[in-house]
Coordinates of all heavy atoms in Angstrom, one line a residue:
M1 N 92.2 110.4 -12.1 CA 91.9 110.5 -13.5 C 92.9 109.7 -14.3 O 94.0 109.6 -13.9 CB 91.8 111.9 -14.0 CG 93.1 112.7 -13.9 SD 93.0 114.5 -14.4 CE 91.9 115.1 -13.2
N2 N 92.5 109.2 -15.5 CA 93.4 108.5 -16.3 C 94.1 109.4 -17.2 O 93.9 110.7 -17.2 CB 92.7 107.3 -17.1 CG 91.6 107.9 -18.0 OD1 91.7 109.0 -18.5 ND2 90.6 107.1 -18.3
K3 N 95.0 108.9 -18.1 CA 95.8 109.8 -18.9 C 94.9 110.7 -19.8 O 95.2 111.9 -20.0 CB 96.8 109.0 -19.8 CG 97.7 109.9 -20.6 CD 98.7 109.1 -21.4 CE 99.6 110.1 -22.2 NZ 100.6 109.4 -23.0
E4 N 93.9 110.1 -20.5 CA 93.1 110.9 -21.4 C 92.3 112.0 -20.6 O 92.3 113.1 -21.1 CB 92.1 110.0 -22.0 CG 91.1 110.7 -23.0 CD 90.2 109.7 -23.7 OE1 90.7 108.7 -24.2 OE2 89.0 109.9 -23.6
Q5 N 91.8 111.7 -19.5 CA 91.1 112.7 -18.7 C 92.1 113.8 -18.2 O 91.8 115.0 -18.2 CB 90.4 112.1 -17.5 CG 89.3 111.2 -17.8 CD 88.9 110.3 -16.7 OE1 89.7 109.9 -15.8 NE2 87.6 109.9 -16.6
F6 N 93.3 113.4 -17.8 CA 94.3 114.3 -17.4 C 94.6 115.3 -18.5 O 94.7 116.5 -18.3 CB 95.6 113.5 -17.0 CG 96.6 114.4 -16.4 CD1 96.7 114.7 -15.0 CD2 97.6 114.9 -17.2 CE1 97.7 115.4 -14.5 CE2 98.7 115.7 -16.7 CZ 98.7 115.9 -15.3
Q7 N 94.8 114.8 -19.7 CA 95.2 115.6 -20.9 C 94.1 116.6 -21.3 O 94.3 117.7 -21.7 CB 95.7 114.8 -22.0 CG 97.0 114.1 -21.8 CD 97.5 113.2 -22.8 OE1 96.7 112.5 -23.5 NE2 98.8 113.1 -23.0
Q8 N 92.8 116.1 -21.1 CA 91.7 117.0 -21.4 C 91.6 118.1 -20.4 O 91.2 119.2 -20.7 CB 90.4 116.2 -21.4 CG 90.2 115.2 -22.6 CD 89.0 114.4 -22.5 OE1 88.3 114.3 -21.4 NE2 88.7 113.6 -23.5
T9 N 91.9 117.8 -19.1 CA 91.9 118.8 -18.1 C 93.0 119.8 -18.2 O 92.8 121.0 -18.1 CB 91.9 118.1 -16.7 OG1 90.8 117.2 -16.6 CG2 91.8 119.1 -15.6
Y10 N 94.2 119.3 -18.4 CA 95.4 120.2 -18.3 C 96.0 120.6 -19.7 O 96.8 121.5 -19.8 CB 96.5 119.6 -17.5 CG 96.1 119.4 -16.0 CD1 95.7 118.2 -15.5 CD2 96.0 120.5 -15.2 CE1 95.3 118.0 -14.2 CE2 95.6 120.3 -13.9 CZ 95.2 119.1 -13.4 OH 94.8 119.0 -12.1
G11 N 95.6 119.8 -20.7 CA 96.2 120.1 -22.0 C 97.7 120.0 -22.0 O 98.3 119.1 -21.4
E12 N 98.4 120.9 -22.7 CA 99.8 120.9 -22.8 C 100.5 121.6 -21.7 O 101.7 121.5 -21.5 CB 100.3 121.5 -24.2 CG 99.8 120.8 -25.4 CD 100.4 119.4 -25.5 OE1 101.6 119.2 -25.2 OE2 99.6 118.5 -25.9
S13 N 99.7 122.2 -20.8 CA 100.3 123.0 -19.7 C 101.0 122.2 -18.7 O 101.8 122.6 -17.9 CB 99.3 123.9 -19.1 OG 98.3 123.2 -18.4
R14 N 100.6 120.9 -18.6 CA 101.1 120.0 -17.6 C 101.3 118.6 -18.2 O 100.3 118.0 -18.5 CB 100.2 120.0 -16.3 CG 100.8 119.2 -15.2 CD 100.0 119.4 -13.9 NE 100.5 118.5 -12.9 CZ 99.8 118.1 -11.9 NH1 98.5 118.5 -11.7 NH2 100.3 117.2 -11.0
P15 N 102.5 118.2 -18.3 CA 102.7 116.8 -18.9 C 102.3 115.7 -18.0 O 102.4 115.8 -16.8 CB 104.2 116.8 -19.2 CG 104.8 117.7 -18.2 CD 103.8 118.8 -18.0
W16 N 102.0 114.6 -18.6 CA 101.7 113.3 -17.9 C 103.0 112.8 -17.3 O 103.9 112.6 -18.1 CB 101.0 112.4 -18.8 CG 100.7 111.0 -18.3 CD1 101.4 109.9 -18.4 CD2 99.6 110.6 -17.5 NE1 100.9 108.8 -17.8 CE2 99.7 109.3 -17.2 CE3 98.5 111.3 -17.0 CZ2 98.8 108.6 -16.4 CZ3 97.6 110.6 -16.2 CH2 97.7 109.3 -15.9
E17 N 103.0 112.6 -16.0 CA 104.3 112.1 -15.4 C 104.1 110.8 -14.6 O 104.8 110.6 -13.6 CB 104.8 113.2 -14.4 CG 105.1 114.5 -15.1 CD 105.5 115.6 -14.2 OE1 105.7 115.4 -13.0 OE2 105.5 116.8 -14.6
W18 N 103.3 110.0 -15.1 CA 103.0 108.7 -14.5 C 103.1 107.6 -15.5 O 103.2 107.8 -16.7 CB 101.6 108.8 -13.8 CG 101.6 109.8 -12.8 CD1 101.9 109.6 -11.5 CD2 101.2 111.1 -12.9 NE1 101.8 110.8 -10.8 CE2 101.3 111.7 -11.6 CE3 100.7 111.9 -13.9 CZ2 101.1 113.1 -11.4 CZ3 100.5 113.3 -13.7 CH2 100.6 113.8 -12.4
P19 N 103.0 106.3 -15.1 CA 103.2 105.2 -16.0 C 102.2 105.2 -17.1 O 101.0 105.6 -16.9 CB 103.1 104.0 -15.1 CG 103.4 104.4 -13.7 CD 102.9 105.9 -13.7
E20 N 102.6 104.7 -18.3 CA 101.7 104.5 -19.4 C 101.3 103.0 -19.4 O 102.0 102.2 -18.8 CB 102.5 104.8 -20.7 CG 103.1 106.1 -20.8 CD 102.2 107.1 -21.5 OE1 101.1 106.7 -22.1 OE2 102.5 108.3 -21.6
I21 N 100.2 102.7 -20.0 CA 99.8 101.3 -20.1 C 100.9 100.6 -20.9 O 101.4 101.1 -21.9 CB 98.5 101.3 -20.9 CG1 97.4 101.9 -20.0 CG2 98.1 99.8 -21.3 CD1 96.0 102.0 -20.7
G22 N 101.3 99.5 -20.3 CA 102.4 98.7 -20.9 C 103.8 99.0 -20.3 O 104.7 98.2 -20.5
D23 N 103.9 100.0 -19.5 CA 105.2 100.3 -18.8 C 105.4 99.2 -17.8 O 104.5 98.6 -17.3 CB 105.1 101.6 -18.1 CG 105.4 102.8 -19.0 OD1 105.6 102.6 -20.2 OD2 105.4 104.0 -18.5
K24 N 106.7 99.0 -17.5 CA 107.1 98.0 -16.5 C 107.4 98.8 -15.2 O 107.9 99.9 -15.2 CB 108.4 97.3 -17.0 CG 108.3 96.6 -18.3 CD 107.3 95.4 -18.1 CE 107.3 94.6 -19.4 NZ 106.3 93.6 -19.4
V25 N 107.0 98.1 -14.1 CA 107.3 98.6 -12.7 C 107.9 97.4 -11.9 O 107.6 96.3 -12.2 CB 106.0 99.1 -12.1 CG1 105.5 100.4 -12.7 CG2 104.9 98.1 -12.0
R26 N 108.7 97.8 -11.0 CA 109.4 96.7 -10.2 C 108.9 96.9 -8.7 O 109.0 98.0 -8.1 CB 110.9 96.8 -10.2 CG 111.6 95.7 -9.5 CD 113.1 95.8 -9.6 NE 113.5 95.5 -11.0 CZ 114.3 96.3 -11.7 NH1 114.8 97.4 -11.2 NH2 114.6 96.0 -13.0
F27 N 108.3 95.8 -8.2 CA 107.8 95.9 -6.8 C 108.9 96.0 -5.8 O 109.8 95.2 -5.8 CB 107.0 94.6 -6.5 CG 106.3 94.6 -5.2 CD1 105.4 95.6 -4.9 CD2 106.5 93.6 -4.3 CE1 104.7 95.6 -3.6 CE2 105.8 93.6 -3.1 CZ 104.9 94.6 -2.7
E28 N 108.8 97.0 -4.9 CA 109.8 97.3 -3.9 C 109.3 96.9 -2.5 O 110.1 96.9 -1.6 CB 110.2 98.8 -3.9 CG 110.9 99.2 -5.2 CD 111.4 100.6 -5.1 OE1 110.7 101.5 -4.5 OE2 112.5 100.9 -5.6
G29 N 108.0 96.6 -2.4 CA 107.5 96.2 -1.1 C 106.4 97.1 -0.6 O 106.1 98.1 -1.2
A30 N 105.7 96.6 0.4 CA 104.5 97.3 0.9 C 104.6 97.5 2.4 O 103.6 97.4 3.2 CB 103.2 96.5 0.6
D31 N 105.8 97.8 2.9 CA 106.0 98.0 4.3 C 106.0 99.5 4.7 O 106.2 99.8 5.9 CB 107.3 97.3 4.7 CG 107.2 95.8 4.6 OD1 106.1 95.3 4.9 OD2 108.2 95.2 4.2
G32 N 105.9 100.4 3.8 CA 106.0 101.8 4.1 C 104.7 102.4 4.5 O 103.7 101.7 4.6
M33 N 104.6 103.7 4.6 CA 103.4 104.4 4.9 C 102.8 104.8 3.5 O 103.5 105.4 2.7 CB 103.6 105.6 5.7 CG 104.0 105.3 7.2 SD 102.6 104.5 8.0 CE 101.3 105.7 8.0
F34 N 101.6 104.5 3.2 CA 101.0 104.8 2.0 C 99.7 105.6 2.3 O 99.0 105.3 3.2 CB 100.6 103.5 1.2 CG 101.8 102.7 0.9 CD1 102.0 101.6 1.7 CD2 102.7 103.0 -0.1 CE1 103.2 100.8 1.5 CE2 103.8 102.2 -0.3 CZ 104.0 101.1 0.5
Y35 N 99.5 106.6 1.5 CA 98.2 107.4 1.6 C 97.4 107.2 0.3 O 98.0 107.4 -0.8 CB 98.6 108.9 1.8 CG 97.3 109.7 1.9 CD1 96.6 109.8 3.0 CD2 96.8 110.3 0.7 CE1 95.4 110.5 3.1 CE2 95.6 110.9 0.7 CZ 94.9 111.0 1.9 OH 93.7 111.7 2.0
P36 N 96.2 107.0 0.4 CA 95.5 106.6 1.6 C 95.9 105.3 2.1 O 96.4 104.4 1.4 CB 94.0 106.6 1.2 CG 94.0 106.5 -0.3 CD 95.3 107.0 -0.8
H37 N 95.7 105.1 3.4 CA 96.3 103.9 4.1 C 95.2 102.7 4.0 O 94.5 102.4 4.9 CB 96.6 104.2 5.5 CG 97.3 103.1 6.2 ND1 98.6 102.8 5.9 CD2 96.9 102.2 7.1 CE1 99.0 101.7 6.6 NE2 98.0 101.3 7.4
F38 N 95.0 102.2 2.7 CA 94.1 101.1 2.5 C 94.8 99.8 3.0 O 95.6 99.3 2.3 CB 93.7 101.0 1.1 CG 93.0 102.1 0.5 CD1 93.3 102.6 -0.7 CD2 91.9 102.7 1.2 CE1 92.6 103.7 -1.3 CE2 91.2 103.8 0.7 CZ 91.5 104.3 -0.6
T39 N 94.5 99.3 4.2 CA 95.2 98.2 4.7 C 94.9 96.9 3.8 O 95.8 96.1 3.7 CB 94.8 97.9 6.1 OG1 93.3 97.8 6.2 CG2 95.2 99.0 7.1
N40 N 93.7 96.9 3.1 CA 93.5 95.7 2.3 C 94.4 95.7 1.0 O 94.8 94.7 0.6 CB 92.0 95.7 1.9 CG 91.5 96.9 1.2 OD1 92.0 98.0 1.4 ND2 90.5 96.8 0.3
V41 N 94.7 96.9 0.5 CA 95.6 97.0 -0.6 C 97.0 96.6 -0.2 O 97.7 95.9 -1.0 CB 95.5 98.5 -1.2 CG1 96.6 98.6 -2.3 CG2 94.2 98.8 -1.8
I42 N 97.4 97.1 0.9 CA 98.8 96.8 1.4 C 98.9 95.3 1.6 O 99.9 94.7 1.2 CB 99.1 97.6 2.7 CG1 99.1 99.1 2.3 CG2 100.3 97.1 3.3 CD1 99.1 100.0 3.5
Q43 N 97.9 94.7 2.3 CA 98.0 93.2 2.5 C 97.9 92.4 1.3 O 98.6 91.4 1.1 CB 96.9 92.8 3.5 CG 97.1 91.4 4.0 CD 98.4 91.2 4.8 OE1 98.7 92.0 5.7 NE2 99.2 90.2 4.4
F44 N 97.1 92.9 0.3 CA 97.0 92.2 -1.0 C 98.3 92.2 -1.7 O 98.7 91.2 -2.3 CB 95.8 92.8 -1.8 CG 95.6 91.9 -3.1 CD1 94.8 90.8 -3.0 CD2 96.1 92.3 -4.3 CE1 94.5 90.0 -4.1 CE2 95.8 91.5 -5.4 CZ 95.0 90.4 -5.3
A45 N 99.0 93.3 -1.7 CA 100.3 93.5 -2.3 C 101.3 92.5 -1.7 O 102.0 91.8 -2.3 CB 100.8 94.9 -2.2
K46 N 101.3 92.5 -0.3 CA 102.2 91.6 0.4 C 102.0 90.1 0.0 O 102.9 89.3 -0.1 CB 102.1 91.8 1.9 CG 102.7 93.1 2.4 CD 102.5 93.3 3.9 CE 103.1 94.6 4.3 NZ 103.0 94.8 5.8
D47 N 100.7 89.8 -0.1 CA 100.3 88.4 -0.4 C 100.5 88.0 -1.8 O 100.6 86.8 -2.1 CB 98.9 88.1 0.0 CG 98.6 88.3 1.5 OD1 99.6 88.2 2.3 OD2 97.4 88.4 1.9
N48 N 100.5 88.9 -2.8 CA 100.4 88.5 -4.2 C 101.6 89.0 -5.1 O 101.7 88.6 -6.2 CB 99.1 89.0 -4.8 CG 97.9 88.2 -4.2 OD1 97.6 87.1 -4.6 ND2 97.3 88.8 -3.2
L49 N 102.4 89.9 -4.6 CA 103.5 90.4 -5.3 C 104.8 90.0 -4.7 O 104.9 89.8 -3.5 CB 103.4 91.9 -5.5 CG 102.2 92.5 -6.1 CD1 102.2 94.0 -6.1 CD2 101.9 92.0 -7.5
K50 N 105.9 89.9 -5.5 CA 107.2 89.5 -5.0 C 108.1 90.6 -5.1 O 108.3 91.2 -6.2 CB 107.7 88.3 -5.7 CG 106.9 87.0 -5.5 CD 107.5 85.8 -6.2 CE 106.6 84.6 -5.9 NZ 107.1 83.4 -6.6
V51 N 108.8 91.0 -4.1 CA 109.8 92.1 -4.1 C 110.9 91.7 -5.1 O 111.4 90.6 -5.2 CB 110.5 92.2 -2.7 CG1 111.6 93.2 -2.8 CG2 109.4 92.7 -1.7
G52 N 111.2 92.7 -6.0 CA 112.1 92.6 -7.0 C 111.6 92.1 -8.3 O 112.3 92.2 -9.4
E53 N 110.3 91.6 -8.4 CA 109.7 91.2 -9.6 C 109.2 92.4 -10.4 O 108.8 93.4 -9.9 CB 108.5 90.3 -9.3 CG 108.9 88.9 -8.8 CD 109.6 88.0 -9.8 OE1 109.1 88.0 -11.0 OE2 110.6 87.4 -9.5
T54 N 109.2 92.2 -11.7 CA 108.8 93.3 -12.6 C 107.4 92.9 -13.1 O 107.1 91.8 -13.4 CB 109.7 93.4 -13.8 OG1 111.0 93.7 -13.3 CG2 109.3 94.4 -14.8
Y55 N 106.5 93.9 -13.2 CA 105.1 93.8 -13.6 C 104.8 94.8 -14.6 O 105.5 95.8 -14.8 CB 104.2 94.0 -12.4 CG 104.4 93.0 -11.3 CD1 105.3 93.2 -10.2 CD2 103.8 91.7 -11.3 CE1 105.6 92.3 -9.2 CE2 104.0 90.8 -10.3 CZ 104.9 91.1 -9.3 OH 105.2 90.1 -8.3
T56 N 103.7 94.6 -15.4 CA 103.3 95.4 -16.5 C 102.0 96.2 -16.1 O 101.0 95.6 -15.6 CB 103.0 94.6 -17.7 OG1 104.1 93.7 -18.0 CG2 102.7 95.4 -18.9
V57 N 102.1 97.5 -16.3 CA 100.9 98.4 -16.0 C 99.8 98.2 -17.0 O 100.0 98.3 -18.2 CB 101.4 99.9 -16.0 CG1 100.2 100.8 -15.8 CG2 102.4 100.1 -14.9
R58 N 98.6 97.8 -16.4 CA 97.4 97.6 -17.2 C 96.6 98.9 -17.3 O 95.9 99.2 -18.2 CB 96.6 96.5 -16.6 CG 95.2 96.3 -17.3 CD 94.5 95.1 -16.8 NE 94.7 94.6 -15.5 CZ 93.8 94.6 -14.5 NH1 92.6 95.0 -14.7 NH2 94.1 94.0 -13.4
N59 N 96.6 99.7 -16.2 CA 95.9 100.9 -16.1 C 96.6 101.8 -15.0 O 97.2 101.3 -14.1 CB 94.4 100.7 -15.7 CG 93.6 101.9 -15.9 OD1 94.0 102.9 -16.5 ND2 92.3 101.9 -15.4
C60 N 96.4 103.1 -15.1 CA 97.0 104.0 -14.2 C 96.0 105.2 -14.0 O 95.5 105.7 -14.9 CB 98.3 104.5 -14.7 SG 99.1 105.8 -13.7
K61 N 95.7 105.5 -12.7 CA 94.8 106.6 -12.4 C 95.5 107.5 -11.4 O 96.0 107.0 -10.3 CB 93.5 106.2 -11.9 CG 92.6 105.6 -13.0 CD 91.2 105.4 -12.5 CE 90.3 104.9 -13.6 NZ 88.9 104.7 -13.2
V62 N 95.5 108.8 -11.6 CA 96.0 109.8 -10.7 C 94.9 110.4 -9.9 O 93.9 110.8 -10.4 CB 96.8 110.9 -11.5 CG1 97.3 111.9 -10.6 CG2 97.9 110.3 -12.4
Y63 N 95.1 110.4 -8.6 CA 94.2 111.0 -7.7 C 94.8 112.3 -7.1 O 96.0 112.6 -7.5 CB 93.7 110.0 -6.6 CG 93.0 108.8 -7.2 CD1 93.7 107.6 -7.5 CD2 91.7 108.9 -7.5 CE1 93.0 106.6 -8.0 CE2 91.0 107.9 -8.1 CZ 91.6 106.7 -8.3 OH 91.0 105.6 -8.9
S64 N 94.2 113.0 -6.2 CA 94.7 114.3 -5.8 C 96.1 114.1 -5.2 O 96.9 115.0 -5.4 CB 93.8 114.9 -4.8 OG 93.6 114.1 -3.7
S65 N 96.4 113.1 -4.4 CA 97.7 113.0 -3.8 C 98.4 111.6 -3.9 O 99.3 111.4 -3.2 CB 97.5 113.3 -2.3 OG 96.6 112.4 -1.7
W66 N 97.9 110.8 -4.8 CA 98.5 109.5 -5.0 C 98.1 108.9 -6.3 O 97.2 109.5 -7.0 CB 98.2 108.5 -3.8 CG 96.7 108.1 -3.8 CD1 95.6 108.9 -3.4 CD2 96.2 106.8 -4.1 NE1 94.5 108.1 -3.5 CE2 94.8 106.9 -3.9 CE3 96.7 105.6 -4.6 CZ2 94.0 105.8 -4.2 CZ3 95.9 104.6 -4.8 CH2 94.5 104.6 -4.6
C67 N 98.7 107.8 -6.7 CA 98.5 107.2 -8.0 C 98.3 105.7 -7.9 O 99.0 105.1 -7.2 CB 99.7 107.5 -8.9 SG 99.6 106.8 -10.5
A68 N 97.2 105.2 -8.5 CA 96.9 103.8 -8.4 C 97.3 103.2 -9.8 O 97.1 103.8 -10.8 CB 95.4 103.6 -8.2
V69 N 97.8 102.0 -9.7 CA 98.1 101.2 -10.9 C 97.5 99.8 -10.8 O 97.4 99.2 -9.7 CB 99.7 101.1 -11.1 CG1 100.3 102.4 -11.5 CG2 100.4 100.4 -9.9
W70 N 97.0 99.3 -11.9 CA 96.5 98.0 -12.0 C 97.6 97.2 -12.9 O 98.2 97.8 -13.8 CB 95.2 98.0 -12.7 CG 94.1 98.5 -11.9 CD1 93.1 97.8 -11.3 CD2 93.8 99.9 -11.6 NE1 92.2 98.6 -10.6 CE2 92.6 99.9 -10.8 CE3 94.3 101.1 -12.0 CZ2 92.0 101.1 -10.3 CZ3 93.8 102.3 -11.5 CH2 92.6 102.2 -10.7
L71 N 97.8 95.9 -12.6 CA 98.8 95.2 -13.3 C 98.2 94.1 -14.1 O 97.3 93.4 -13.7 CB 99.7 94.6 -12.2 CG 100.3 95.6 -11.2 CD1 101.1 94.8 -10.1 CD2 101.2 96.6 -11.9
D72 N 98.8 93.9 -15.3 CA 98.4 92.8 -16.2 C 98.5 91.4 -15.5 O 97.6 90.5 -15.7 CB 99.3 92.7 -17.4 CG 98.9 93.7 -18.5 OD1 97.8 94.3 -18.4 OD2 99.8 93.9 -19.4
E73 N 99.5 91.2 -14.7 CA 99.7 89.9 -14.0 C 98.7 89.6 -12.9 O 98.7 88.4 -12.5 CB 101.1 89.9 -13.5 CG 102.2 90.0 -14.6 CD 102.5 91.4 -15.0 OE1 101.9 92.3 -14.5 OE2 103.3 91.5 -15.9
I74 N 97.9 90.6 -12.5 CA 97.0 90.3 -11.4 C 95.6 90.5 -11.9 O 95.2 91.5 -12.4 CB 97.2 91.4 -10.2 CG1 98.7 91.3 -9.7 CG2 96.2 91.1 -9.1 CD1 99.1 90.0 -9.1
E75 N 94.8 89.4 -11.9 CA 93.5 89.4 -12.4 C 92.5 90.2 -11.5 O 92.8 90.3 -10.3 CB 92.9 88.0 -12.6 CG 93.7 87.2 -13.6 CD 93.1 85.8 -13.9 OE1 91.9 85.6 -13.4 OE2 93.8 85.0 -14.4
G76 N 91.4 90.7 -12.0 CA 90.4 91.4 -11.2 C 90.7 92.8 -11.2 O 91.6 93.4 -11.9
D77 N 90.0 93.5 -10.3 CA 90.1 95.0 -10.1 C 90.9 95.4 -9.0 O 90.6 96.3 -8.3 CB 88.6 95.5 -10.0 CG 88.6 97.0 -10.3 OD1 89.4 97.5 -11.1 OD2 87.8 97.7 -9.7
H78 N 92.0 94.7 -8.7 CA 92.9 95.0 -7.6 C 93.9 96.0 -8.1 O 94.6 95.9 -9.1 CB 93.7 93.7 -7.2 CG 92.7 92.7 -6.7 ND1 92.1 92.7 -5.5 CD2 92.4 91.5 -7.4 CE1 91.4 91.6 -5.4 NE2 91.5 90.9 -6.5
F79 N 94.0 97.1 -7.3 CA 95.0 98.2 -7.7 C 96.0 98.3 -6.6 O 95.9 97.7 -5.5 CB 94.3 99.5 -7.8 CG 93.6 100.0 -6.6 CD1 94.4 100.8 -5.7 CD2 92.3 99.8 -6.3 CE1 93.8 101.3 -4.5 CE2 91.7 100.3 -5.2 CZ 92.4 101.0 -4.3
F80 N 97.1 98.9 -6.9 CA 98.2 99.1 -6.0 C 98.7 100.6 -6.0 O 98.5 101.3 -6.9 CB 99.4 98.2 -6.4 CG 99.0 96.8 -6.5 CD1 98.6 96.2 -7.7 CD2 99.1 96.0 -5.4 CE1 98.2 94.9 -7.8 CE2 98.7 94.6 -5.4 CZ 98.3 94.1 -6.6
H81 N 99.3 101.0 -4.9 CA 99.9 102.3 -4.9 C 101.2 102.3 -5.8 O 102.0 101.4 -5.6 CB 100.4 102.7 -3.4 CG 99.3 102.9 -2.5 ND1 98.8 104.1 -2.2 CD2 98.6 102.0 -1.7 CE1 97.9 104.0 -1.3 NE2 97.7 102.7 -1.0
L82 N 101.3 103.3 -6.6 CA 102.5 103.4 -7.4 C 103.8 103.5 -6.6 O 104.8 103.0 -6.9 CB 102.4 104.7 -8.4 CG 103.7 104.9 -9.2 CD1 104.0 103.7 -10.2 CD2 103.5 106.2 -10.0
S83 N 103.7 104.1 -5.4 CA 104.8 104.3 -4.5 C 105.4 102.9 -4.0 O 106.4 102.9 -3.4 CB 104.5 105.2 -3.4 OG 103.4 104.8 -2.6
M84 N 104.7 101.8 -4.2 CA 105.2 100.5 -3.9 C 106.2 100.0 -4.9 O 106.8 98.9 -4.7 CB 104.0 99.5 -3.8 CG 103.0 99.8 -2.7 SD 101.7 98.6 -2.8 CE 100.8 99.0 -1.3
F85 N 106.3 100.7 -6.0 CA 107.1 100.2 -7.1 C 108.2 101.2 -7.5 O 108.1 102.4 -7.3 CB 106.2 100.1 -8.4 CG 105.1 99.1 -8.2 CD1 103.9 99.5 -7.6 CD2 105.3 97.8 -8.5 CE1 102.9 98.6 -7.5 CE2 104.3 96.8 -8.3 CZ 103.1 97.2 -7.8
E86 N 109.2 100.6 -8.1 CA 110.3 101.4 -8.7 C 109.7 101.8 -10.1 O 109.3 100.9 -10.9 CB 111.6 100.7 -8.9 CG 112.6 101.5 -9.6 CD 113.9 100.6 -9.9 OE1 114.0 99.5 -9.4 OE2 114.7 101.2 -10.6
W87 N 109.6 103.0 -10.4 CA 109.2 103.5 -11.7 C 109.7 104.9 -11.9 O 109.5 105.7 -11.0 CB 107.7 103.5 -11.9 CG 107.3 104.0 -13.3 CD1 107.3 103.3 -14.4 CD2 107.0 105.3 -13.6 NE1 107.0 104.1 -15.5 CE2 106.8 105.3 -15.0 CE3 106.9 106.5 -12.9 CZ2 106.5 106.5 -15.7 CZ3 106.6 107.7 -13.6 CH2 106.4 107.6 -15.0
P88 N 110.3 105.3 -13.0 CA 110.7 104.3 -14.0 C 111.8 103.4 -13.5 O 112.6 103.8 -12.6 CB 111.2 105.2 -15.2 CG 111.6 106.5 -14.5 CD 110.7 106.6 -13.3
I89 N 111.9 102.2 -14.1 CA 112.9 101.3 -13.7 C 114.3 101.7 -14.1 O 114.5 102.1 -15.3 CB 112.6 99.9 -14.2 CG1 111.3 99.3 -13.6 CG2 113.8 98.9 -14.0 CD1 110.9 98.0 -14.1
K90 N 115.2 101.8 -13.2 CA 116.6 102.1 -13.5 C 117.4 100.8 -13.7 O 117.4 100.0 -12.8 CB 117.2 102.9 -12.3 CG 116.5 104.2 -12.1 CD 116.8 104.8 -10.7 CE 116.0 106.0 -10.3 NZ 114.6 105.6 -10.0
E91 N 117.9 100.7 -14.8 CA 118.7 99.5 -15.2 C 120.0 99.5 -14.5 O 120.7 100.4 -14.3 CB 118.8 99.3 -16.7 CG 117.4 99.1 -17.3 CD 116.6 97.9 -16.9 OE1 117.2 96.9 -16.5 OE2 115.4 98.1 -16.8

């Protein structure tokens, strides 16, 4: 669910704890174990993102046990696991 759906479901009882649209994330790599283990998502990340580069969140959806993010810098409907990124970025 996206932020609006999350807030409609949980109201003030549970705060949104994931990236907002426009937040920056830093790619840490796609060599770990990710759930769900979408091998196409992992390979796409390896082929199209650079470790250490900062990207801008275009959309964020929370699922039961993981979070998907879409990036402004990547065209199309390609999403990535939030756990592939440093967020929030520590300066």
Side-chain angles (χ1 to χ4, degrees):
M1 68 180 63
N2 62 26
K3 182 178 181 182
E4 181 178 307
Q5 293 165 329
F6 184 90
Q7 289 175 329
Q8 287 174 352
T9 301
Y10 297 104
E12 297 297 320
S13 67
R14 185 169 173 204
W16 177 260
E17 299 176 11
W18 295 275
E20 303 267 353
I21 294 170
D23 278 1
K24 301 295 185 187
V25 293
R26 184 175 295 128
F27 185 58
E28 293 186 322
D31 293 323
M33 288 296 297
F34 303 100
Y35 176 84
H37 190 73
F38 297 136
T39 54
N40 57 332
V41 172
I42 294 167
Q43 191 59 52
F44 189 81
K46 289 179 179 181
D47 293 344
N48 292 279
L49 302 177
K50 293 182 181 176
V51 173
E53 289 288 318
T54 300
Y55 299 92
T56 307
V57 174
R58 173 170 30 115
N59 193 11
C60 177
K61 285 192 178 181
V62 177
Y63 297 96
S64 61
S65 60
W66 68 288
C67 180
V69 291
W70 288 257
L71 306 173
D72 279 345
E73 295 81 2
I74 304 296
E75 292 184 19
D77 196 33
H78 302 283
F79 64 87
F80 303 93
H81 291 265
L82 178 59
S83 56
M84 294 177 174
F85 299 88
E86 176 186 355
W87 179 84
I89 294 177
K90 299 165 189 71
E91 295 302 325

